[in-house]
C-alpha cells in the first residue's frame, strides 16, 4: 500500500452508495479498506442494467462505480464464527464505517460500547438517512427521498420538482463522512481515543443549500426552481444559439462590460445597469442575448466569448466529457485490471497530489472486488 493514508485500516460495513463512496475516498488515498459483505453481497451488485461480463460472473456498473481499491470479505454477522471474525477485524482497524438503521448494529452485538471496548482508538462513521436521533430517525435513507425531503428538488428544474441526475444526497453524505473521519483521525493523534462521527443524507442536503438557505433563514424568501439560470446573478446561465445552447457566467460588473463590448451591446442601458437590475429584468436580457446569439453557431460564440475573457462553455454529454483532453489531462480516468472483466476504465478520484499523472493518492489502483474475493486472505492475515 502507498499514499497518504497507507497506514490506515478501514472496515467498510456499508452498502449502496453513501457509505461505499466514503470508504472509496479513503481507499483512493491508500487506506486498506476491507469491505465486509453479507453472503448475498452489497445491494448494488444487483442494481442494473447495465451489467458487464458473462452471466456467471457479471458485475453491475453501479457497484463498479463505488468500490475500487477495496478487498471483499463475506461474513454472516448472525453466525457466531463470522461475528468473531469481525471482532478480530475491529481490534486491528482504525476506522469502521456503517450505514445500518439505528439499533441494527447493536442487535448484531457491535454497539458503540463494545466497539470501543474492543478497540478504544477506533473511529466509527455512522451514516443514516435522517439522523441518528429525532422524531424521524428510523426512516430508511434513500437518495430520491432525501433529495425531496431535504429541499433540493424544490430548487432544481424549471417547474416540476426535479432530482439531480446523480445520487447527490448519497454522494454528499459520503464526502461529509470521509471528511469527518479524517478530522477524528487527526484528533486521535492528540487524545489517543477514537470517537463516533455521524452524518446523514438529510444533513448533506441541508448542508449544500448555501445561499438558497440564507434566502429563507435571513431574508425570509422561499426559493423556487432555479432552472438553468442563477437566481441572484445575471447573465449567468444557459442561452440558446443558432445551433446549441451555451453557458455564460458574468459574475462581476467587469465581466458584464466585457460581454457588452464583445457583443456590441449598451452596457449603460438602465434596465441592466447593475446586477440587481439585470436580475429584475432577466427575461428581457435573456431574450436580447438569445436574439443576438441566434445569428451564429455555438462554437462561434464560444470563441468570441473566450477572446473577450467572458467565462463560457458548452453542455457536454458524458461520452464527450470522458473523451475531452482536459478531463484526461487531470488523470480522471483510471485503468484497472479486473480478474473476470479484463481491463476496465473507471472514473477516478477528484483529488490529485503533486504532479502525479493520475488522480488519487496511491500509485496504483485496484479493481472493484468480486464478492468474497479476499475472505481467505484476510482471515489468514488475522491469524498471522
Amino acid at each position: 500500500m502507498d499514499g497518504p493514508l497507507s497506514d490506515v485500516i478501514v472496515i467498510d460495513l456499508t452498502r449502496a452508495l453513501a457509505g461505499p463512496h466514503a470508504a472509496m475516498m479513503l481507499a483512493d488515498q491508500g487506506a486498506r479498506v476491507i469491505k465486509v459483505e453479507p453472503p448475498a453481497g452489497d445491494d448494488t451488485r444487483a442494481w442494473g442494467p447495465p451489467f458487464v461480463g458473462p452471466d456467471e460472473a457479471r458485475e453491475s456498473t453501479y457497484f463498479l462505480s463505488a468500490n475500487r481499491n477495496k478487498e471483499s470479505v463475506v461474513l454472516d454477522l448472525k453466525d457466531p464464527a463470522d461475528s468473531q471474525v469481525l471482532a478480530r477485524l475491529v481490534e486491528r482497524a482504525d476506522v469502521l464505517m456503517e450505514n445500518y438503521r439505528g439499533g441494527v448494529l447493536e442487535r448484531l452485538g457491535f454497539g458503540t460500547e463494545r466497539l470501543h471496548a474492543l478497540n478504544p482508538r477506533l473511529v466509527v462513521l455512522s451514516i443514516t438517512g435522517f439522523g441518528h436521533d429525532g422524531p424521524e430517525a428510523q426512516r430508511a435513507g434513500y437518495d430520491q427521498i432525501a433529495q425531496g425531503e431535504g429541499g433540493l428538488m424544490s430548487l432544481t428544474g424549471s417547474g416540476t420538482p426535479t432530482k439531480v441526475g446523480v445520487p447527490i444526497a448519497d454522494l454528499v453524505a459520503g464526502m461529509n463522512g470521509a471528511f469527518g473521519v479524517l478530522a477524528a483521525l487527526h484528533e486521535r493523534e492528540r487524545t489517543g481515543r477514537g470517537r463516533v462521527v455521524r452524518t446523514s443524507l438529510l444533513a448533506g442536503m441541508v448542508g449544500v443549500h448555501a445561499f438558497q438557505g440564507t434566502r429563507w433563514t435571513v431574508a425570509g424568501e422561499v426559493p423556487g426552481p432555479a432552472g438553468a439560470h442563477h437566481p441572484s446573478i445575471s447573465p449567468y446561465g444557459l442561452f440558446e444559439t443558432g445551433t446549441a445552447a451555451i453557458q455564460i457566467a458574468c459574475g462581476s460588473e467587469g465581466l458584464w462590460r466585457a460581454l457588452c463590448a464583445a457583443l456590441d451591446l449598451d452596457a449603460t442601458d438602465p434596465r441592466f445597469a447593475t446586477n440587481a437590475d439585470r436580475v429584475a429584468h432577466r427575461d428581457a436580457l435573456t431574450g436580447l442575448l438569445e436574439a443576438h446569439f441566434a445569428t451564429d453557431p455555438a462554437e462561434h460564440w464560444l470563441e468570441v466569448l473566450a477572446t473577450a475573457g467572458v467565462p463560457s462553455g458548452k453542455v457536454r454529454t458524458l461520452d464527450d466529457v470522458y473523451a475531452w483532453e482536459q478531463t484526461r489531462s487531470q488523470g480522471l480516468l483510471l485503468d484497472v485490471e479486473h480478474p473476470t472483466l479484463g481491463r476496465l476504465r473507471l472514473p477516478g478520484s477528484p483529488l490529485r497530489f503533486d504532479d502525479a499523472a493520475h488522480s488519487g493518492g496511491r500509485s496504483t489502483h485496484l479493481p472493484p472486488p468480486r464478492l468474497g474475493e479476499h475472505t481467505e486472505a484476510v482471515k489468514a492475515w488475522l491469524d498471522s
Side-chain angles (χ1 to χ4, degrees):
M1 296 286 183
D2 61 352
L5 299 180
S6 60
D7 59 342
V8 173
I9 297 172
V10 179
I11 303 171
D12 179 10
L13 291 179
T14 67
R15 69 273 188 219
L17 185 57
H21 189 77
M24 185 174 69
M25 289 180 68
L26 303 189
D28 283 343
Q29 310 313 319
R32 182 181 185 184
V33 175
I34 299 170
K35 182 178 180 68
V36 176
E37 301 187 65
D42 186 316
D43 294 341
T44 60
R45 289 187 182 273
W47 286 4
F51 297 97
V52 290
D55 287 344
E56 67 278 6
R58 74 176 191 171
E59 298 282 355
S60 158
T61 58
Y62 203 116
F63 177 84
L64 296 175
S65 75
N67 290 286
R68 62 177 176 264
N69 293 320
K70 301 181 185 180
E71 301 168 63
S72 172
V73 172
V74 169
L75 297 177
D76 179 355
L77 298 183
K78 296 179 181 178
D79 179 272
D82 282 0
S83 178
Q84 182 57 30
V85 173
L86 178 59
R88 295 175 67 196
L89 282 170
V90 168
E91 292 173 341
R92 301 279 286 268
D94 298 286
V95 179
L96 180 142
M97 297 183 172
E98 62 91 8
N99 61 352
Y100 293 106
R101 284 200 202 186
V104 171
L105 206 56
E106 286 80 0
R107 290 195 292 274
L108 291 170
F110 290 94
T112 301
E113 286 189 14
R114 186 182 180 210
L115 290 173
H116 280 145
L118 289 166
N119 183 350
R121 291 175 55 82
L122 186 71
V123 171
V124 178
L125 171 63
S126 178
I127 301 177
T128 55
F130 293 88
H132 76 288
D133 55 8
E136 301 190 40
Q138 290 301 311
R139 291 181 66 180
Y142 285 92
D143 175 88
Q144 177 93 26
I145 308 304
Q147 285 196 41
E149 292 276 29
L152 190 65
M153 287 177 66
S154 76
L155 307 173
T156 307
S158 298
T160 302
T162 304
K163 70 183 287 292
V164 177
V166 296
I168 195 68
D170 281 327
L171 295 170
V172 170
M175 289 186 281
N176 288 340
F179 176 76
V181 165
L182 293 179
L185 287 173
H186 180 74
E187 180 190 49
R188 191 182 71 173
E189 293 300 304
R190 183 175 68 254
T191 66
R193 298 189 63 84
R195 68 156 73 202
V196 179
V197 178
R198 301 189 188 277
T199 192
S200 67
L201 275 63
L202 174 62
M205 290 296 84
V206 175
V208 297
H209 287 169
F211 69 92
Q212 297 281 40
T214 49
R215 283 180 69 182
W216 165 246
T217 63
V218 178
E221 296 180 5
V222 179
H229 290 268
H230 197 293
S232 302
I233 309 172
S234 182
Y236 194 118
L238 189 73
F239 298 86
E240 294 294 335
T241 74
T243 57
I246 62 173
Q247 302 210 83
I248 298 173
C250 282
S252 70
E253 294 303 318
L255 289 172
W256 164 245
R257 290 191 293 272
L259 176 67
C260 289
L263 303 183
D264 197 24
L265 300 176
D266 180 8
T268 65
D269 186 321
R271 295 174 298 170
F272 313 133
T274 68
N275 179 68
D277 293 326
R278 294 191 293 275
V279 171
H281 297 94
R282 185 195 312 279
D283 290 345
L285 178 55
T286 298
L288 177 66
L289 291 174
E290 290 191 334
H292 204 91
F293 291 144
T295 61
D296 284 288
E299 293 300 332
H300 167 78
W301 293 117
L302 289 172
E303 184 176 340
V304 168
L305 295 169
T307 300
V310 176
S312 58
K314 57 175 140 177
V315 178
R316 297 175 185 267
T317 56
L318 290 197
D319 56 337
D320 192 12
V321 171
Y322 289 121
W324 189 19
E325 186 54 38
Q326 188 60 26
T327 301
R328 292 171 176 269
S329 75
Q330 301 308 299
L332 291 169
L333 287 167
L334 299 175
D335 289 329
V336 296
E337 198 67 35
H338 192 278
T340 57
L341 302 178
R343 177 151 295 202
L344 295 179
R345 178 157 286 180
L346 303 175
S349 165
L351 298 177
R352 193 175 177 195
F353 289 81
D354 298 317
D355 294 322
H358 53 78
S359 62
R362 53 197 297 159
S363 60
T364 58
H365 290 268
L366 305 175
R370 293 171 295 165
L371 179 61
E373 181 178 348
H374 304 93
T375 301
E376 296 309 315
V378 169
K379 288 181 178 179
W381 168 67
L382 290 172
D383 290 334
S384 63

